[in-house]
Amino acid sequence: MGYYSRFMGCVLGGAIGDALGRPVEFTPLARIRDTYGPDGLRDMVSPEITDDTQMTLFTAEGLIRARLHGVDPVTAVHDAYLRWLDTQQFAAPPAADEAVRNGWLRQEAWLYARRAPGTACLSGLFAAGRRVDVPAPGAIGEINALSKGCGSVMRSAPFGLSVFDPFETAGRCSYLTHGHPTASLSAGAFASIIHDLVRGDSLKRAVRRALDRLAGCPGHEETAGALRAAVHLAADSRRPTAEKVESLGAGWVAEEALAIAVYCALAEPDPREALLLAVNHSGDSDSTGAVCGNILGARHGLRALPADWLDAVEGRSTIVELTFDLMADPSLPNNWTDRYPS
């Protein structure tokens, strides 16, 4: 299993986990078991992804443009999120312009589906307009200063796949929509974990390195505590359960979503079972599934992902195309300036 398999597996794994968890998001665990049986959801009910995967793709697109044109990644990602915002406001791509509304990804019709987008993601982008002014990770941001929702984490895997500092860049881009320091630091820790996994580190070592990075930041206690709780819980040799997942929280906030995903990936060695564990709970199942899927793909590679779910997931060809571009060397001859304008 090589770097490129883990790279591609990370993005596709996130889409699989997102689609797997979508039908049971907002659903109490007891009702999940009443509906699907005592073991809960056991298969992909629908291949449709949510805003988690949509925003992940636009994150990747922004990072490609930042690298290609040598611009600040926060500015490039913010513009990409404004293109995502269009997909939540319009039924089809609005007229192109030279400022933001350009490039090929925004033309993908399947992305213009509104799948319960996060309130902070929407309000933050509306509030900021085209202004980008963000602090370093660990500070309090101006936009949605009290928000530490998991929307800052579920979109952040591509930062761990880019040429930019994963912790710093993900943490700063979190402030585009979420102002709470825990949102920023959880996004940064997640991107740091992804960065190390695709380069062959174990998940335990990647988490330790993320904890080391967190230790130097103000306001790190919630994120660090949640990660330590996940590692401690995964060390229990008894069978992982939904009740153990729920002891870490519901995943609505950033540090809980990250902790649940890390626990499931550590506690369950089989990727299919780990993904099912990550979505069978009473909370934000699509986001915890997406983050866990990113981790599993980055850890185990593309071939370890369930083939039947991989074949079915919505938007697969677009996801593969964009991920190849994120992996590629932009100095090679190509039509990138048309696909990714400055």
Side-chain angles (χ1 to χ4, degrees), residues 4 12 43 46 58 63 69 78 90 96 132 148 150 152 176 181 192-193 228 238-239 268 279:
Y4 294 109
L12 284 168
D43 205 353
S46 167
F58 280 99
L63 291 169
H69 299 291
H78 182 241
F90 302 102
V132 178
K148 58 171 183 172
C150 69
S152 64
L176 296 172
S192 174
I193 289 168
R228 290 193 183 99
R238 292 171 293 181
R239 183 175 68 91
E268 177 50 71
V279 303

Side-chain angles (χ1 to χ4, degrees), residues 74-342:
V74 178
T75 301
V77 169
H78 182 241
D79 284 351
Y81 289 164
L82 293 178
R83 288 187 285 277
W84 168 79
L85 186 62
D86 276 349
T87 71
Q88 305 304 291
Q89 299 183 83
F90 302 102
D97 61 34
E98 293 184 1
V100 171
R101 291 172 171 153
N102 50 46
W104 74 275
L105 186 64
R106 65 181 289 272
Q107 301 291 339
E108 293 289 298
W110 68 279
L111 289 172
Y112 286 76
R114 191 175 173 111
R115 307 257 171 82
T119 301
C121 292
L122 294 174
S123 65
L125 293 170
F126 278 123
R130 295 242 25 229
R131 179 176 60 87
V132 178
D133 183 16
V134 299
I140 298 174
E142 295 181 11
I143 297 170
N144 292 328
L146 299 178
S147 179
K148 58 171 183 172
C150 69
S152 64
V153 173
M154 54 76 168
R155 68 195 191 207
S156 289
F159 295 112
L161 306 174
S162 76
V163 298
F164 303 102
D165 182 306
F167 185 93
E168 179 79 12
T169 312
R172 292 179 66 219
C173 284
S174 173
Y175 290 117
L176 296 172
T177 53
H178 295 69
H180 198 289
T182 296
S184 168
L185 295 173
S186 296
F190 174 48
S192 174
I193 289 168
I194 293 298
H195 174 274
D196 290 347
L197 288 176
V198 296
R199 285 157 179 80
D201 272 357
S202 70
L203 180 52
K204 287 184 179 179
R205 178 171 168 79
V207 171
R208 285 198 301 270
R209 287 168 63 93
L211 286 168
D212 289 343
R213 188 73 183 264
L214 285 168
C217 299
H220 69 274
E221 290 81 7
E222 285 185 327
T223 303
L227 281 173
R228 290 193 183 99
V231 172
H232 177 76
L233 189 62
D236 185 344
S237 60
R238 292 171 293 181
R239 183 175 68 91
T241 65
E243 286 75 16
K244 290 181 181 179
V245 169
E246 293 192 344
S247 75
L248 295 169
W252 302 117
V253 292
E255 78 275 19
E256 291 180 2
L258 179 59
I260 289 171
V262 167
Y263 164 70
C264 294
L266 281 173
E268 177 50 71
D270 180 271
R272 180 184 289 265
E273 294 300 322
L275 283 165
L276 290 168
L277 184 66
V279 303
N280 275 293
H281 61 86
S282 303
D284 196 349
S285 298
D286 61 326
S287 294
T288 55
V291 175
C292 184
N294 293 140
I295 291 171
L296 292 168
R299 180 187 186 191
H300 298 293
L302 184 60
R303 291 187 178 181
L305 299 175
D308 51 336
W309 297 347
L310 183 61
D311 289 343
V313 72
E314 182 182 29
R316 176 183 171 180
S317 61
T318 300
I319 296 169
V320 169
E321 184 176 4
L322 187 72
T323 306
F324 268 124
D325 285 353
L326 187 60
M327 280 192 286
D329 182 351
S331 67
L332 297 174
N334 51 47
N335 62 341
W336 276 28
T337 54
D338 295 329
R339 290 165 60 75
Y340 304 106
S342 64

